[in-house]
Amino acid sequence: MGRHRGRYAEEPSGRSRRRRGRGGAFAALAAALVIVVGLAGAGVYMFGNSGGCGGSDLRLDVAVSPELAPAVDAIARDFNLTETTVDGQCVHAEVRQVDSANVAYGITGSGATMGDTESDVWIPDSSVWPRIVQNHSGDAVLTETGTSVARSPLVLTGLAAYAGDEPAAWEDVIPTAAPGEQPGHTVRVVDPGRSATGLSTLSLLHGTLEQASPDGDTFNAAMTAALQALHRGASADEEAAFLALSGGGEEAPPAMVMSEQAAWRYNSSYDENTVRVDYLEGGTYYLDYPYLVRTEDSGLTRAAEEFRTAIRGESARGHILAEGFRGPEGEVDPAVLSGDHGFSEQAPEELPTPSEGSIGDLTRTWNQMKMDSRVLAIVDISGSMLAEVPGTGMTRMQVTGAAATQGLEMFSPTSELGLWEFSTNVNNNLHYQEIAPVRELQAEEDGTEHRAVLSQALASLRPMPRGDTALYETYLAAYQEMSRTYRPDRNNVILMLTDGDNDNPGGLELAELLSQIDSIASPSRPIPIITIAFGPDVQNLEPLQEIAAATGGAAYMTEDPTEIGEIFINAFSLRIADTDD
């Protein structure tokens, strides 16, 4: 991985990027040894034969994922007492707790880091991190040794949240349908951008949903719903996740995907709110704590090999098992991982670690979904919206308002949404008017959250009995407005809900609309137009598809406006499709 030099290639010590000037020290040591040999040959006794180090240490900097650090620190204390030598110097292992994502992003520069990422040995919590490094920084000095220091499979905790409807497989954990169409459960993971557990959860869902989906569109829609559900339950870090699991938050304790060792550690800290673990069908990923070498210095490389030998020893294994981990062969200490909390001595089936390509795709997808939306929703209030939807006892307007309100639940509190209505001549000579500005859903207006303001506005929309459908003028005005107020840190989208074709004699034609959009559009400032057209009055979807193609959006048509919720999911799945391109 990276610039591999074989398992432990020996290079001149001056090649070390972190300890320059070591060549001079070695030269001095060599000269001293020559003197010692010469004096010994003359019968002069200079040193005792106790095998000590004489005060000279070769310090090995070992960066370890925080939860494993106590065990590795204990192993290092034992190791340092052995006075193991390399080139006459005692190897002294110094262990530091360092977040795995912090090191990975420090090497690649592809994410936020707190610094302090250099070391001679790196033991992250998962092999996904060196794969991320390989994907972004192929020339990084990072040598795999084939050693897994400890292991911990992913499990599910907090099943009380399922109220008797316990999941059997990973695809049962996350809702994969439109809001309101499937019973949902709060499932919490730590942000996959910073957590191997969170990222592995995405891989689990990706694999199971891909197997269960008959086609790409079905998979994209299901994966989108799953990602949105995970976003709603994502914790910034493990501490926040533990607090939520303990019931210390405002909501009921959620189900949570975590490692066995994290569950044991949680139970050790929250003994009044302990959890049981559950092993779901279909196998699982493991945190595998790989032993990686990050130096090309000859002496430090051999020192790293000596410490690797120690960390694989029987006494070292006792330290590892005592901290709630499995050993390299899956063995456990049943006194630590007790069956009283659901822990199983039998190791669950292991899934292969995701490839660097799939990790990159999932990370990009998560980050794209994580980016908040900025949406201008536009609702048709032409006269045809007064028509009744068969079998519902509701008008198209009422069904549309209810479906759009349901769609609001798909957006995070920090997403920005605004609402327009349109027909013909709804606002003096304009065919559209603003009902609610584009604002964060959590923003308050006179003590009322913007999400509630939008819900009330949608419920109060009234069709114009004599109104026609000035689609094209409204598209253009919306595109101009969203371009003028563009936010590069958000997904800027126009969402049109209409039950008819463009119907405005003497108004803007399709060719002119497309020309004007083209003059405004910029590849670096995308504003996709997504149109959901419904009802028997929609005779021709092709113009809407041309508009969608020109803006990177999509056009959907259904005769049943009650399907709008599912179409929302399909529309949002465009983000996944884009990251796969």
Side-chain angles (χ1 to χ4, degrees):
M1 182 169 295
R3 292 202 335 264
H4 291 238
R5 307 283 186 178
R7 178 155 292 189
Y8 287 105
E10 296 188 9
E11 298 286 350
S13 60
R15 296 274 314 267
S16 171
R17 295 175 300 151
R18 300 182 60 253
R19 293 174 171 81
R20 302 189 185 280
R22 238 223 227 250
F26 283 171
L29 176 61
L33 288 174
V34 170
I35 294 172
V36 170
V37 171
L39 291 173
V44 179
Y45 185 79
M46 295 290 295
F47 300 100
N49 57 6
S50 64
C53 297
S56 178
D57 285 344
L58 182 61
R59 299 191 176 276
L60 184 71
D61 187 359
V62 183
V64 185
S65 185
E67 68 276 14
L68 183 62
V72 176
D73 190 53
I75 295 168
R77 288 197 301 270
D78 294 344
F79 172 78
N80 292 338
L81 292 175
T82 66
E83 297 187 341
T84 300
T85 61
V86 169
D87 292 334
Q89 292 180 291
C90 265
V91 179
H92 185 88
E94 298 179 339
V95 176
R96 295 185 294 116
Q97 298 183 22
V98 183
D99 179 72
S100 300
N102 189 51
V103 176
Y105 294 145
I107 297 172
T108 65
S110 60
T113 179
M114 299 297 292
D116 194 27
T117 61
E118 293 293 323
S119 65
D120 303 314
V121 172
W122 179 30
I123 309 176
D125 59 4
S126 172
S127 291
V128 303
W129 298 116
R131 279 162 173 71
I132 287 175
V133 170
Q134 183 183 52
N135 198 38
H136 288 86
S137 299
D139 61 345
V141 177
L142 193 65
T143 304
E144 292 187 65
T145 66
T147 292
S148 174
V149 176
R151 303 179 67 75
S152 192
L154 300 192
V155 296
L156 191 68
T157 67
L159 289 182
Y162 282 77
D165 184 22
E166 295 185 3
W170 288 107
E171 61 264 34
D172 301 327
V173 173
I174 310 294
T176 55
E181 296 184 11
Q182 175 174 306
H185 309 284
T186 301
V187 178
R188 194 174 296 274
V189 295
V190 179
D191 184 351
R194 306 292 306 181
S195 161
T197 297
L199 189 54
S200 296
T201 302
L202 298 189
S203 294
L204 282 166
L205 289 171
H206 186 281
T208 54
L209 293 177
E210 195 171 44
Q211 291 181 1
S213 302
D215 55 60
D217 289 342
T218 302
F219 164 76
N220 284 342
M223 191 68 182
T224 298
L227 287 172
Q228 289 180 324
L230 280 177
H231 268 293
R232 289 192 291 272
S235 295
D237 53 35
E238 189 177 77
E239 182 180 356
F242 278 10
L243 180 62
L245 190 59
S246 71
E250 296 180 357
E251 299 179 354
M256 185 178 299
V257 181
M258 59 201 316
S259 70
E260 273 185 340
Q261 197 272 342
W264 170 82
R265 194 157 26 89
Y266 167 84
N267 284 344
S268 300
S269 300
Y270 296 87
D271 54 2
E272 294 184 357
N273 294 286
T274 58
V275 295
R276 288 183 59 83
V277 303
D278 196 73
Y279 302 86
L280 301 188
E281 295 175 0
T284 188
Y285 288 108
Y286 278 64
L287 300 185
D288 59 344
Y289 298 90
Y291 188 96
L292 307 166
V293 178
R294 294 189 58 197
T295 179
E296 293 180 307
D297 180 278
S298 175
L300 290 171
T301 297
R302 282 180 285 155
E305 173 65 5
E306 294 288 350
F307 188 56
R308 184 173 77 98
T309 299
I311 215 167
R312 298 167 65 196
E314 192 61 36
S315 62
R317 186 166 306 176
H319 290 303
I320 291 168
L321 300 187
E323 292 294 330
F325 294 97
R326 291 179 182 263
E329 304 303 320
E331 65 274 26
V332 301
D333 182 344
V336 177
L337 294 183
S338 168
D340 292 342
H341 290 106
F343 293 108
S344 171
E345 288 191 50
Q346 182 178 355
E349 178 188 353
E350 181 175 4
L351 298 173
T353 301
S355 67
E356 57 266 29
S358 65
I359 291 169
D361 289 343
L362 286 169
T363 303
R364 284 190 297 273
T365 298
W366 175 263
N367 289 335
Q368 181 71 9
M369 295 295 295
K370 188 176 180 180
M371 186 183 294
D372 280 324
S373 298
R374 182 173 181 272
V375 179
L376 175 56
I378 309 170
V379 179
D380 188 346
I381 61 167
S382 60
S384 56
M385 292 290 283
L386 287 167
E388 184 174 318
V389 177
T392 68
M394 302 169 66
T395 65
R396 294 177 187 173
M397 184 81 268
Q398 291 169 327
V399 171
T400 301
T405 299
Q406 186 183 83
L408 284 175
E409 298 305 314
M410 297 174 58
F411 296 93
S412 68
T414 52
S415 293
E416 295 182 353
L417 270 81
L419 178 64
W420 285 10
E421 63 181 9
F422 88 101
S423 179
T424 50
N425 299 316
V426 300
N427 182 16
N428 295 323
N429 292 325
L430 295 178
H431 304 308
Y432 53 87
Q433 69 175 349
E434 180 182 274
I435 302 301
V438 178
R439 300 185 64 188
E440 279 196 6
L441 290 175
Q442 66 183 359
E444 290 194 357
E445 306 166 36
D446 298 326
T448 303
E449 279 197 351
H450 189 57
R451 189 189 299 269
V453 171
L454 289 170
S455 295
Q456 293 165 8
L458 287 165
S460 63
L461 289 176
R462 296 292 181 266
M464 296 178 61
R466 298 180 180 275
D468 289 325
T469 311
L471 263 177
Y472 297 163
E473 281 88 352
T474 305
Y475 277 135
L476 180 58
Y479 200 89
Q480 290 170 333
E481 175 65 14
M482 290 293 280
S483 180
R484 183 183 67 81
T485 59
Y486 189 85
R487 289 279 304 273
D489 61 332
R490 294 176 178 265
N491 291 298
N492 297 258
V493 178
I494 296 170
L495 175 63
M496 172 70 76
L497 301 173
T498 180
D499 75 336
D501 300 321
N502 183 66
D503 181 15
N504 183 32
L508 196 67
E509 296 294 334
L510 177 62
E512 186 179 356
L513 168 64
L514 294 174
S515 176
Q516 293 208 40
I517 286 177
D518 183 64
S519 68
I520 301 171
S522 168
S524 63
R525 295 162 60 90
I527 307 173
I529 294 177
I530 298 173
T531 302
I532 302 177
F534 53 87
D537 295 336
V538 180
Q539 302 296 323
N540 186 7
L541 190 63
E542 186 174 344
L544 307 183
Q545 292 172 329
E546 289 188 47
I547 295 167
T551 62
Y556 302 90
M557 182 169 66
T558 176
E559 292 190 3
D560 183 0
T562 62
E563 295 179 352
I564 290 177
E566 195 64 39
I567 294 174
F568 265 113
I569 288 288
N570 290 327
F572 271 79
S573 71
L574 287 173
R575 298 191 193 182
I576 291 181
D578 288 343
T579 58
D580 289 340
D581 290 342

